[in-house]
Amino acid sequence: MTTVAGALTTVKRRPLLLRRPTKTTGAFSWFTTIDHKKIGIMYCATAMLFFLVGGLEALLIRLQLAGPNGTVVTAAQYNELFTMHGTTMVFLVGMPMAVGIANYFVPIMIGARDVAFPRLNAFGFYVVVAGGIFLYSSWIPGINGVPNGGWFGYTPLTDTPLTAGFLPGRGPDFWTVGVVMLGIGSTTSAINFIVTILNLRAPGMTLMRMPVFVWMMLVVAFLTVFAMPIITVALIMVFFDRNYGSLFFQASAGADPLLYQHLFWLFGHPEVYILILPGMGIVSEILPVFSRKPLFGYSVVVFSGIAIGFLGWGVWAHHMFATGLGPVAISAFGVSTMLIAVPTGVKIFNWLSTVWRGAVRLTTAMLFALGFIAMFTIGGLSGVLHSVVPSDTQQTDTYFVVAHFHYVLFGGLLFGVFGGFYYWLPKVYGRMLDERVGKINFWTMLIGFNLTFFPMHFVGLYGMPRRTYRYDAGLGWDAWNLVETIGAFVIAVSTLIFLANIIVSIMLKRGAVAGDDPWDGRTLEWTTTSPPPDYNFADIPEIEGRDAHWHHKYTEDEEGRLMPLPSGGAAAAAEGDGHHDGIHMPSPSIYPLITGLGLLPLGYAAVYHSFAWLGVGVVVLLYGLYAWAIEPGTEPDESDHGGGAPARVPEPVH
Amino acid sequence: MATIEQTTEIGAPAHRGASPGHDPHATATGVPNTKLAMWIFLASDCLFFGAFIATYLLYRGRDKVGPGPKELFDIPFTSATSFILLMSSLTMVLALAAIQRGDERRLRIWLLATALLGATFIAGQVFEFTEFNHEGLNLNTNLFGSTFFILTGFHGAHVTAGIIWLMSLWGMASQGRLKQGDSEKVEIAGLYWHFVDVVWIVIFTVIYLVPQPAAPGGG
């Protein structure tokens, strides 16, 4: 307790607090870490776990549909599988995966030492974990509450009262409460990203010098912040309709069940861009590096990302063309849907122009990025078809739509994410992933993906409806469905190859040592060590232009040819030794974990109307919040060099 | 490119010290982190209330069974409690001014006054809810009941959270742990509090003051 006078008052009055964790290594430190890099790794690991779970659900679905009149699962189980598959892949895989990668790399790419609110960052992660545990706890025998109303949960299917509902059991209750919890987690992390990106940029890192991935995460964070409250409201109304007899979507009372669809898709369509824009950001980083060219039309790529973010709010009703909105509405939304294809197409041409005449290196990361462009273009084209209302009406609720959004989200986001893993994991762990295995990973993934999803275009156009648990023989769907199921297992094998690559190359340390800059990269993360130190940069870098690291290494001669600088990045390498003792990073904290998990009992309290759970939840939550508020962001360091003024760290308040 | 870089920069150019380890107030935009975060949260909350208000407006006048707003509302009473809530914004401003001057005694007084005015508003809301309930309006009575109780109820929950926050600040101030240098903590709470008040102005206008249309069913 011998600390500087200023801290004395806070130290003295903390009788109820747990001892402040100090360890930053070891297994337990993962529960108390507020290092953005470790939280990023935990996000990605959690998302990968749920990717396997959601993938298993998909495999069961495909097994059931492998042939006509499948008998693998019952109709009720099938409903649970596709609901949980969709909910998992959107909320527990797509969003946390992107947030995880961004958590790790956004602060480094803008030259910061951490995010603006390190503890809030950890809190957001634990809320996502709590939401995932909550949703999946519905599978515990006896609870009878696996969500089964689709990932969209349309009313009036989901909101009829509990006792007399179309969906007996607790399914929609677990779903509404779970998704609200996940929404809280993603909102806090989005606020954190916005503040971090706007406020913590290194000197000289103007907005238009930021890497495109950072830009896309900024747009995504704004979309998240504005989209999440809308679905929260919709889910609250469904929850009250089911549990407390309110009438928000009861047509018999004069209400309009269609209102739910409007609210859901007003969230849901921006959500689509929340999922795809990080993938676009990742490939915008990979393509220039492996083409040895700057991104073609940087500002156009940035502005079309922003344009997509804005236009994404004006297209939601194209999910509802079959509901009878009337000719004016469907015309308007058809036009706006065509319009949003323009900035998307602009980006595709920018990426192609980046690769064009570049010195292309076909690494695994590059292959995934190129695969992203091809697959996303197919998904984009089938998406534009949906702006043609008569065609959309024909395709609504058929497998054509399933094909479309898997091309966009799997062929788009996940190809980008896999590319990002091959590109960035050497930085995270200091070891290269095996390139030969990586290429097998890519080609099996590409083939499996197309085997699974391309035939869905055909069966969709032949009229096979979504979400039916079996179909009769002789409708012309049998062979295609078998091919799709085979494809799904090829994807599963490819995923296992990827995991094996991680286990062998990284966990068993068989991969080549990566070094600081294995790809001859362009952005700031390649200036620091692999893995980066806790504080990322010993000296905060000064930024003089886009692709900051590139210009440390190369210049151009009079004819525009690339010339390595004699120092060869020495400017960056020169930092790293010496005076980092004075850097105070925020201290670890247990309260984000306690506060985040406090939402779990509150969730059960809501579903079971239980005051006992409510009491537990409120006590845990309030204790976590108050202790969080009282403890300082950074413990005064007793071993600090006595003379120097203790470095102040932005104190996360919330 | 140069022109784009110039024109799209937000605020002051990014400068040194914009990361942990340096002065927390020297951010790239010049806006402190916590304040920026609160503004973004409030923007997000706008959509939360916006969706509920839109629902209320969509369902207005659709009920075929009463009781409806015309039978229930006591406009003078609600105007009085609304006035009390708006006055709490004034005391909130005074609290902030007090801590910025370093006047801790007045800070405590005005924080407590703000919380009490907020609590009075909540008491009025509880009274109103109870009255409506006695007169036969429940969540499941009609669409007015559903939309009214949920919208004003969630606003009341926001006010209650604000009261807890203010009382926590008051507790800190009473222990002498809220100094002049901590004025940002009061300012952030104030932003939230003013926002909740402004939302009430919208809700009060939309629900109580805008004339009710004649129900299509003739009810």
Side-chain angles (χ1 to χ4, degrees):
Chain A
M1 296 288 156
T2 52
T3 53
V4 285
L8 198 62
T9 47
T10 46
V11 172
K12 206 170 59 185
R13 294 185 185 274
R14 284 152 61 190
L16 287 174
L17 295 197
L18 305 169
R19 240 183 77 222
R20 187 72 185 253
T22 49
K23 285 175 69 169
T24 52
T25 53
F28 184 70
S29 74
W30 287 90
F31 293 102
T32 59
T33 186
I34 52 172
D35 178 348
H36 71 96
K37 297 181 285 298
K38 285 187 171 173
I39 293 170
I41 292 172
M42 292 197 290
Y43 261 117
C44 286
T46 309
M48 190 45 84
L49 186 71
F50 280 115
F51 179 63
L52 298 180
V53 175
L56 278 178
E57 287 155 5
L59 288 181
L60 281 170
I61 290 171
R62 282 316 322 164
L63 275 179
Q64 167 74 10
L65 297 178
N69 299 314
T71 52
V72 178
V73 293
T74 64
Q77 286 166 334
Y78 188 84
N79 290 347
E80 296 170 353
L81 283 175
F82 73 68
T83 302
M84 288 301 274
H85 170 73
T87 307
T88 304
M89 289 302 189
V90 169
F91 293 104
L92 291 168
V93 178
M95 294 173 81
M97 198 80 94
V99 167
I101 296 176
N103 234 298
Y104 200 102
F105 284 104
V106 161
I108 303 182
M109 288 173 121
I110 59 171
R113 291 203 170 118
D114 208 321
V115 291
F117 305 104
R119 288 182 291 180
L120 188 68
N121 198 16
F123 169 76
F125 168 69
Y126 289 115
V127 174
V128 169
V129 171
I133 293 174
F134 183 77
L135 274 172
Y136 272 90
S137 70
S138 64
W139 241 309
I140 295 172
I143 281 187
N144 184 25
V146 187
N148 50 0
W151 91 275
F152 39 83
Y154 276 177
T155 58
L157 178 67
T158 47
D159 82 316
T160 41
L162 203 54
T163 45
F166 297 126
L167 294 176
R170 298 276 178 188
D173 300 317
F174 269 93
W175 182 74
T176 48
V177 176
V179 173
V180 167
M181 282 164 76
L182 294 170
I184 294 171
S186 37
T187 304
T188 56
S189 85
I191 291 175
N192 211 340
F193 276 128
I194 296 174
V195 177
T196 303
I197 295 172
L198 291 182
N199 265 0
L200 298 194
R201 281 167 289 138
M205 179 60 85
T206 59
L207 289 178
M208 291 310 282
R209 288 175 181 172
M210 295 196 307
V212 173
F213 178 62
V214 177
W215 256 114
M216 292 305 111
M217 286 314 297
L218 182 62
V219 176
V220 164
F222 273 110
L223 290 177
T224 308
V225 158
F226 292 126
M228 279 301 163
I230 303 173
I231 190 175
T232 304
V233 166
L235 296 174
I236 286 171
M237 296 199 287
V238 169
F239 184 82
F240 272 82
D241 271 13
R242 278 180 68 81
N243 290 276
Y244 299 105
S246 62
L247 305 165
F248 286 109
F249 306 116
Q250 304 293 326
S252 56
D256 194 345
L258 209 56
L259 172 66
Y260 177 84
Q261 289 194 30
H262 281 290
L263 291 174
F264 183 84
W265 289 115
L266 194 45
F267 148 81
H269 205 82
E271 171 70 23
V272 171
Y273 295 106
I274 291 171
L275 291 169
I276 190 61
L277 285 174
M280 293 178 167
I282 293 169
V283 300
S284 303
E285 298 303 322
I286 294 175
L287 292 170
V289 168
F290 296 107
S291 310
R292 283 176 78 82
K293 278 176 65 190
L295 184 68
F296 183 87
Y298 167 92
S299 36
V300 178
V301 176
V302 167
F303 282 121
S304 31
I306 297 171
I308 290 172
F310 273 105
L311 291 173
W313 293 96
V315 296
W316 78 88
H318 69 212
H319 297 269
M320 302 163 59
F321 280 155
T323 57
L325 294 174
V328 176
I330 59 174
S331 308
F333 281 99
V335 168
S336 65
T337 304
M338 288 180 205
L339 199 60
I340 203 165
V342 174
T344 316
V346 166
K347 275 177 175 253
I348 289 172
F349 282 108
N350 275 290
W351 292 323
L352 293 176
S353 310
T354 304
V355 180
W356 181 253
R357 295 203 165 174
V360 175
R361 285 177 289 166
L362 284 179
T363 59
T364 310
M366 184 65 169
L367 287 174
F368 271 109
L370 295 172
F372 171 100
I373 300 178
M375 297 303 104
F376 181 76
T377 304
I378 296 176
L381 287 174
S382 56
V384 177
L385 294 188
H386 294 136
S387 68
V388 183
V389 180
S391 150
D392 179 273
T393 313
Q394 173 72 22
Q395 291 149 6
T396 296
D397 276 344
T398 69
Y399 263 86
F400 189 87
V401 178
V402 180
H404 159 67
F405 64 70
H406 280 93
Y407 265 87
V408 179
L409 294 183
F410 194 140
L413 173 69
L414 278 177
F415 271 56
V417 162
F418 276 109
F421 282 153
Y422 278 94
Y423 178 59
W424 275 317
L425 277 179
K427 172 56 62 181
V428 175
Y429 290 106
R431 297 273 171 177
M432 308 294 285
L433 288 168
D434 190 279
E435 278 291 312
R436 269 179 316 150
V437 179
K439 278 170 188 152
I440 300 170
N441 180 197
F442 169 74
W443 288 109
T444 46
M445 187 69 84
L446 188 74
I447 292 166
F449 171 77
N450 281 292
L451 276 182
T452 311
F453 296 108
F454 205 80
M456 288 187 187
H457 292 111
F458 302 137
V459 291
L461 290 176
Y462 296 157
M464 181 169 173
R466 295 168 73 176
R467 298 189 287 266
T468 47
Y469 82 112
R470 63 177 181 182
Y471 53 92
D472 285 334
L475 293 165
W477 306 340
D478 309 5
W480 288 126
N481 270 290
L482 185 61
V483 170
E484 288 163 19
T485 302
I486 294 168
F489 280 88
V490 176
I491 295 176
V493 169
S494 182
T495 307
L496 293 179
I497 292 173
F498 172 74
L499 291 178
N501 199 352
I502 289 197
I503 289 169
V504 173
S505 301
I506 287 173
M507 291 182 171
L508 302 178
K509 297 189 192 296
R510 297 278 178 80
V513 173
D516 291 358
D517 187 9
W519 308 120
D520 204 5
R522 314 177 71 87
T523 37
L524 281 179
E525 72 269 31
W526 306 109
T527 62
T528 185
T529 54
S530 309
D534 285 349
Y535 43 83
N536 296 346
F537 304 98
D539 288 310
I540 297 295
E542 301 260 357
I543 313 302
E544 277 135 31
R546 267 174 223 150
D547 292 339
H549 185 44
W550 186 257
H551 297 294
H552 286 150
K553 298 185 290 189
Y554 296 99
T555 185
E556 285 177 3
D557 66 9
E558 283 140 23
E559 286 152 37
R561 284 179 305 213
L562 217 51
M563 298 276 289
L565 279 169
S567 58
E575 67 182 78
D577 47 35
H579 48 285
H580 54 259
D581 293 344
I583 300 172
H584 275 230
M585 293 309 291
S587 307
S589 172
I590 190 72
Y591 299 112
L593 172 67
I594 292 177
T595 315
L597 293 187
L599 291 183
L600 207 49
L602 287 180
Y604 293 113
V607 171
Y608 286 107
H609 308 181
S610 148
F611 285 102
W613 280 111
L614 181 70
V616 172
V618 167
V619 167
V620 173
L621 193 72
L622 283 182
Y623 173 71
L625 278 178
Y626 273 105
W628 178 341
I630 290 170
E631 75 169 5
T634 306
E635 290 291 329
D637 184 359
E638 287 163 35
S639 65
D640 190 25
H641 305 289
R648 286 192 64 188
V649 171
E651 193 173 305
V653 180
H654 306 296
Chain B
M1 292 302 161
T3 52
I4 291 169
E5 281 176 32
Q6 292 302 317
T7 51
T8 52
E9 181 58 284
I10 291 179
H15 48 77
R16 199 167 183 82
S19 69
H22 297 274
D23 179 10
H25 296 284
T27 60
T29 56
V31 183
N33 288 341
T34 43
K35 201 189 284 186
L36 184 57
M38 179 47 76
W39 277 114
I40 298 162
F41 169 74
L42 295 181
S44 174
D45 226 18
C46 281
L47 274 284
F48 181 85
F49 282 111
F52 275 127
I53 292 171
T55 306
Y56 179 86
L57 285 174
L58 179 70
Y59 288 160
R60 217 165 57 112
R62 283 202 189 183
D63 281 326
K64 296 183 180 64
V65 289
K70 280 176 193 152
E71 297 95 78
L72 295 168
F73 281 161
D74 181 358
I75 304 278
F77 175 80
T78 316
S79 301
T81 57
S82 303
F83 179 74
I84 289 170
L85 185 68
L86 294 191
M87 281 306 103
S88 74
S89 263
L90 176 65
T91 55
M92 188 73 232
V93 171
L94 291 170
L96 179 61
I99 191 172
Q100 282 170 342
R101 286 196 310 272
D103 185 346
E104 289 176 31
R105 195 177 68 86
R106 286 212 169 75
L107 166 69
R108 289 196 298 274
I109 292 174
W110 292 126
L111 279 178
L112 195 62
T114 312
L116 284 177
L117 288 173
T120 313
F121 172 79
I122 292 295
Q125 194 173 36
V126 170
F127 173 75
E128 195 179 37
F129 276 24
T130 321
E131 280 294 294
F132 288 5
N133 196 273
H134 286 318
E135 290 176 50
L137 187 74
N138 279 309
L139 263 182
N140 55 9
T141 309
N142 51 25
L143 285 174
F144 171 68
S146 297
T147 49
F148 173 82
F149 280 123
I150 297 284
L151 172 55
T152 56
F154 270 96
H155 178 267
H158 274 70
V159 176
T160 309
I163 293 170
I164 295 172
W165 191 351
L166 289 169
M167 289 309 291
S168 307
L169 287 175
W170 178 78
M172 283 171 72
S174 303
Q175 295 176 336
R177 293 201 286 123
L178 214 51
K179 302 284 183 200
Q180 194 169 5
D182 300 321
S183 70
E184 200 178 296
K185 287 183 177 156
V186 177
E187 196 178 350
I188 304 290
L191 278 179
Y192 174 83
W193 190 260
H194 296 315
F195 170 79
V196 171
D197 281 6
V198 169
V199 168
W200 180 253
I201 296 178
V202 176
I203 293 177
F204 181 62
T205 310
V206 165
I207 295 188
Y208 293 85
L209 298 185
V210 174
Q212 295 290 329

